[in-house]
Amino acid sequence: LSGLRSADFPSKISEDVWHVVESMSLEEKIGQMLQVPVGKLLMPDGQLNATALDFWINTAKAGTFVDTPGNSIHGRYAWYAPQTLANLTNTVQQVALASGSRVPALWAIDAVRGSSFVKRATMFPAGVGLAATMQPQFAYAAGRIAAKDSRAAGYALAFAPSADLGVDKRSGTGFLGFGEDPAVASIMMRHTVRGLQGDYKTDRHRVAACVRHFIGAGAVPDNTLFEYHLPGFQAAVGAGVAAMEQQHRMALNGQALSAAPFYLRKLLRDSLGFKGIMIGDSAVSSLRAAANATDSVFLALNNTSIDISAEPSLFADVVGMVRSGVIPEDRITESVARIVQVKKDLGLFDKPFADSSLFPTVGALQDVEVARSAVRESLTLLKNSGRALPLRTDDRVLFIGAHLNSTALLGGGWNVHRGGPTRLEAFHDAVYEGLGHSVIQGVEQVIGRTAMYHPGLSLDPGATASDDDKVIDMLVRKARQSDKIVIGLGDPPYPSNAHVTETTDLSLDARQLSLVQRLSTLTNKPVVVLLVTSRPRILHDVATRASSILMSYLPGIHGGLPIAQVLYGQASPSGRLPFTYPKHEYQARDTIWQSQSLEYAPQYPFGFGLGYSPMVYSNVTVDSTELRPGNPITIRMTIHNQGTMDQREPIMLYTSQNFRTGYEPELFRLRKFDKVEIKAGMATQVAFTLKAEELAYYNRDLVRVIDPSP
């Protein structure tokens, strides 16, 4: 091991960790590289299977376990409380410490929007909602609270945050990331990682963050990959992220990622300087890029720096491959040293069990208030003609739509389960047992009386046109007796696994569109539309028929009250779109940073959003007309709140070039952003400093260059 222990080893491995690694047999080392789903430890009735546990600890010698039983078909409960999860993780930990390699097990959990698979844990808006706040402190808070809630249940590694850039709006899991823009994504990534990890080497209320998913962009040139998709991962590495998850079953420009040394060694380790553990699937054969499963594992271990296999069965032949000399044992030792180092850094050798003192803090009111504030700051007003919003508390308002009276629909995916609650669990929000607020509950808290509500058209796909006609006739009669109508539109309940929810149709359900059309035509009343969607849905004529449109993304189960507060003007909306909102299906991949030669005519552009108070920008000045390396410029402006409400205003600095020598210039590129509060009738000055180096871009040879063009 003398070569591995040299200064050239990619991680800083402490002497006591080397002592542990050197004492391990080859089988024990390979076991550390296995990640076992919790479902493999359970009997059909949800109880822990002692025989299976003995196999995975003593025979396979597995070092990492992942997930909660609530995501397994054998889960006994829909949603597991931290105490119940702690019983499970502690039991497995006790066996791991008493037998096998006697190295503490690492428990991992998805926590991409709070530790939402732990019952009562505070759930935050989905990533696109956090990005819409334009306030990175909410990303930090979401990470910090998720870490604490995960540790209470015995989980020390969190699969979060998601650095996947949301280019294709049809993606089933795009809502987990921070939208389409590299600048927003990078800053949110950095703060989320810091929130999750803090000083995780001493603070036992923090976890190791595992950024997902390196690096998935499909068939794009490498310079495009580096320029737009890489910055989020680069920001996470700069923040000291402890782990990275490989994009599963992914081919990048035709090459299976699990077998790609350029991406998983040269780029990740050498260029970015990532020193943590890499979790991958090593399933090259599933892409027909290897002869069989054994060949898949060989390619993954030989070509890349994958440390932990998310598919433990694939590693069955590794012992023989090492002993026959096909795979050097040093390659195994390299990974195991990184894994054991992270376990030591997390304090698992000293405090391997769940922290029961944290049980009372899970779902603490102060945490819920932070989540509510994040929702409030994320709400994005897309239209407000005729001042339909804000509502007055004495307005007679007819509220329509299941999305207004369901915390399950506010939560969407990665909420209780990866796909959200089942239809049975979501019925009357039973699974939440009173946790959270629906929009209607929030409205009633704001106005102090019972809201006039109707569920509208059934979400049951078996409903007939005749059923719809009867409901709409009744709603028209009710609406004519009202001052305004608020309709909740959005996604149906569905599993959020990407292969299930990739869509070729971004349109809202035709029946929901018809409801808006007929009510606006037959009542002549102002119609306010609240969108509860994981992605931008094609609005068709809703964009013209609705008086006001408020985007809430997937706010989570604590979203009802802040949405009601914004509807009634207790706060002014201040969110901004973190993605380009398409008008037509063919625009699903349009971005603010695409080539100037391409059409950009969306329903709403990236960064769009209104408030209740009109804001006027003036006195925009630049202190120099020359921008060159070593000579930054400062841009100043005055922003005047000409309304009657205090307003939090996001300010965004974009650049655009007339041309780029030999390359197509971007339409616009967001370089800086900030958010300031401006009191009603007052003005404030804002300044940004811009460096020429920030306008550098990757050329065809993957070299960053600064173009002399204006």
Side-chain angles (χ1 to χ4, degrees):
L1 298 176
S2 58
L4 287 179
R5 299 182 72 162
S6 72
D8 294 331
F9 189 78
S11 300
K12 292 181 179 179
I13 306 299
S14 59
E15 192 64 30
D16 51 353
V17 167
W18 278 122
H19 179 73
V20 171
V21 174
E22 290 169 357
S23 70
M24 298 170 73
S25 67
L26 175 60
E27 290 82 358
E28 289 171 340
K29 290 180 186 178
I30 293 171
Q32 288 296 305
M33 300 175 71
L34 305 183
Q35 176 180 280
V36 181
V38 69
K40 292 184 179 293
L41 304 180
L42 303 177
M43 294 189 292
D45 63 357
Q47 298 289 343
L48 192 62
N49 186 329
T51 302
L53 179 58
D54 177 73
F55 169 80
W56 286 110
I57 295 292
N58 291 311
T59 302
K61 306 185 187 303
T64 301
F65 297 88
V66 63
D67 215 348
T68 75
N71 280 317
S72 166
I73 60 172
H74 299 313
R76 191 175 186 183
Y77 308 106
W79 209 9
Y80 279 66
Q83 296 90 333
T84 309
L85 288 172
N87 289 337
L88 170 67
T89 59
N90 286 346
T91 299
V92 173
Q93 193 69 275
Q94 287 169 344
V95 176
L97 293 171
S99 56
S101 65
R102 291 180 170 79
V103 173
L106 174 63
W107 274 95
I109 190 172
D110 283 299
V112 77
R113 51 182 308 196
S115 196
S116 55
F117 299 155
V118 177
K119 189 173 183 178
R120 295 197 310 276
T122 302
M123 187 186 305
F124 278 80
V128 288
L130 287 178
T133 69
M134 295 290 163
Q135 292 186 274
Q137 62 262 39
F138 287 119
Y140 178 90
R144 176 183 58 80
I145 293 168
K148 169 184 65 69
D149 293 348
S150 298
R151 277 287 200 165
Y155 294 88
L157 183 143
F159 286 105
S162 173
D164 299 334
L165 205 63
V167 175
D168 195 332
K169 315 309 184 294
R170 295 164 296 195
S171 167
T173 54
F175 67 94
L176 300 177
F178 297 114
E180 73 182 37
D181 183 76
V184 174
S186 296
I187 291 176
M188 293 296 179
M189 287 294 298
R190 184 180 303 118
H191 281 76
T192 307
V193 169
R194 289 174 175 170
L196 285 162
Q197 293 193 165
D199 187 1
Y200 72 99
K201 297 181 181 180
T202 58
D203 186 350
R204 301 309 172 213
H205 295 173
R206 302 298 180 107
V207 297
C210 181
V211 168
R212 49 201 307 170
H213 299 91
F214 191 87
I215 184 171
V220 298
D222 279 338
N223 59 327
T224 299
L225 182 80
F226 279 41
E227 184 68 29
Y228 305 109
H229 297 266
L230 190 61
F233 296 97
Q234 193 168 14
V237 172
V241 70
M244 195 85 71
E245 182 182 14
Q246 170 220 330
Q247 183 71 279
H248 289 196
R249 293 180 174 85
M250 177 75 185
L252 194 53
N253 293 318
Q255 184 179 24
L257 191 58
S258 298
F262 176 77
Y263 298 112
L264 295 191
R265 272 201 182 273
K266 185 175 180 180
L267 176 57
L268 179 65
R269 300 292 187 183
D270 300 340
S271 297
L272 294 187
F274 174 62
K275 301 182 185 302
I277 55 178
M278 165 60 74
I279 300 174
D281 65 356
S282 64
V284 181
S285 60
S286 68
L287 299 172
R288 299 192 177 186
N292 49 48
T294 300
D295 196 28
S296 289
V297 174
F298 168 76
L299 289 171
L301 291 177
N302 187 65
N303 292 1
T304 79
S305 60
I306 289 174
D307 299 309
I308 295 177
S309 173
E311 300 190 25
S313 61
L314 294 178
F315 267 35
D317 298 329
V318 175
V319 172
M321 295 168 71
V322 173
R323 291 204 166 127
S324 65
V326 175
I327 297 291
E329 186 170 352
D330 282 357
R331 168 64 183 89
I332 304 300
T333 301
E334 173 190 329
S335 285
V336 175
R338 281 195 286 259
I339 295 165
V340 176
Q341 183 65 53
V342 168
K343 290 183 176 184
K344 181 202 172 184
D345 292 342
L346 288 165
L348 296 180
F349 284 90
D350 301 319
K351 294 183 178 180
F353 301 112
D355 187 346
S356 60
S357 70
L358 294 176
F359 291 163
T361 74
V362 176
L365 182 58
Q366 63 191 27
D367 296 346
V368 171
E369 286 301 326
V370 175
R372 287 173 177 162
S373 295
V375 175
R376 208 162 20 243
E377 295 286 333
S378 73
L379 297 175
T380 306
L381 186 61
L382 301 178
K383 182 181 180 181
N384 197 26
S385 63
R387 298 219 163 187
L389 288 178
L391 306 173
R392 294 161 40 114
T393 55
D394 58 354
D395 281 340
R396 293 172 299 171
V397 182
L398 175 60
F399 293 91
I400 302 171
H403 290 81
L404 301 181
N405 200 35
S406 167
T407 46
L409 291 176
L410 292 181
W414 258 256
N415 153 37
V416 181
H417 312 299
R418 287 189 188 87
T422 66
R423 185 176 293 273
L424 180 61
E425 292 164 358
F427 186 68
H428 292 314
D429 291 328
V431 71
Y432 301 109
E433 298 179 0
L435 299 172
H437 279 87
S438 69
V439 175
I440 291 300
Q441 289 172 319
V443 165
E444 291 176 345
Q445 186 169 329
V446 169
I447 66 177
R449 64 179 186 277
T450 301
M452 184 164 50
Y453 167 75
H454 190 279
L457 302 182
S458 171
L459 295 180
D460 187 343
T464 66
S466 175
D467 296 332
D468 289 353
D469 288 342
K470 293 176 183 177
V471 171
I472 290 177
D473 287 345
M474 181 270 296
L475 290 175
V476 167
R477 291 194 297 273
K478 285 180 174 289
R480 285 172 175 164
Q481 300 171 12
S482 306
D483 298 316
K484 295 176 181 178
I485 308 165
V486 175
I487 305 177
L489 305 180
D491 299 335
Y494 56 72
S496 60
N497 306 70
H499 69 279
V500 174
T501 58
E502 297 289 339
T503 182
T504 57
D505 185 2
L506 284 173
S507 295
L508 283 166
D509 177 73
R511 296 166 62 242
Q512 295 188 54
L513 295 172
S514 173
L515 177 63
V516 176
Q517 179 186 45
R518 293 172 68 176
L519 284 174
S520 63
T521 301
L522 297 174
T523 67
N524 200 30
K525 301 285 185 176
V527 174
V528 175
V529 168
L530 175 71
L531 296 173
V532 184
T533 64
S534 60
R535 53 194 136 196
R537 295 285 186 175
I538 306 299
L539 296 174
H540 298 285
D541 63 353
V542 168
T544 55
R545 291 182 178 278
S547 300
S548 298
I549 302 174
L550 184 66
M551 179 66 163
S552 70
Y553 311 95
L554 288 181
I557 66 174
H558 303 298
L561 180 58
I563 289 172
Q565 291 170 332
V566 168
L567 286 174
Y568 278 91
Q570 293 187 358
S572 181
S574 62
R576 295 294 183 265
L577 285 176
F579 44 61
T580 295
Y581 201 118
K583 181 182 290 186
H584 306 288
E585 199 72 43
Y586 72 86
Q587 299 170 330
R589 291 185 60 87
D590 286 2
T591 64
I592 191 67
W593 44 263
Q594 67 188 27
S595 166
Q596 290 182 16
S597 64
L598 300 177
E599 176 200 69
Y600 189 75
Q603 189 74 62
Y604 305 105
F606 170 89
F608 182 77
L610 305 169
Y612 291 150
S613 287
M615 312 297 287
V616 176
Y617 287 62
S618 62
N619 301 323
V620 179
T621 63
V622 180
D623 67 355
S624 174
T625 58
E626 185 176 10
L627 178 62
R628 65 177 187 273
N631 184 43
I633 61 173
T634 300
I635 303 96
R636 293 182 174 86
M637 68 204 75
T638 300
I639 307 171
H640 187 196
N641 181 347
Q642 295 188 338
T644 59
M645 292 184 64
D646 296 346
Q647 181 75 41
R648 296 184 62 78
E649 177 74 1
I651 306 104
M652 289 171 276
L653 178 69
Y654 297 89
T655 62
S656 183
Q657 293 178 278
N658 292 335
F659 67 91
R660 273 183 181 170
T661 305
Y663 292 85
E664 291 184 307
E666 300 150 322
L667 182 62
F668 291 104
R669 186 70 180 270
L670 180 65
R671 301 296 181 182
K672 307 282 177 99
F673 63 92
D674 196 4
K675 197 170 189 178
V676 297
E677 183 168 6
I678 308 176
K679 298 293 184 182
M682 303 298 290
T684 191
Q685 290 190 332
V686 176
F688 292 111
T689 298
L690 183 67
K691 299 178 181 179
E693 292 82 352
E694 294 174 302
L695 274 65
Y697 61 93
Y698 284 97
N699 66 13
R700 177 69 176 79
D701 299 319
L702 303 184
V703 175
R704 284 184 66 77
V705 296
I706 301 176
D707 197 274
S709 68

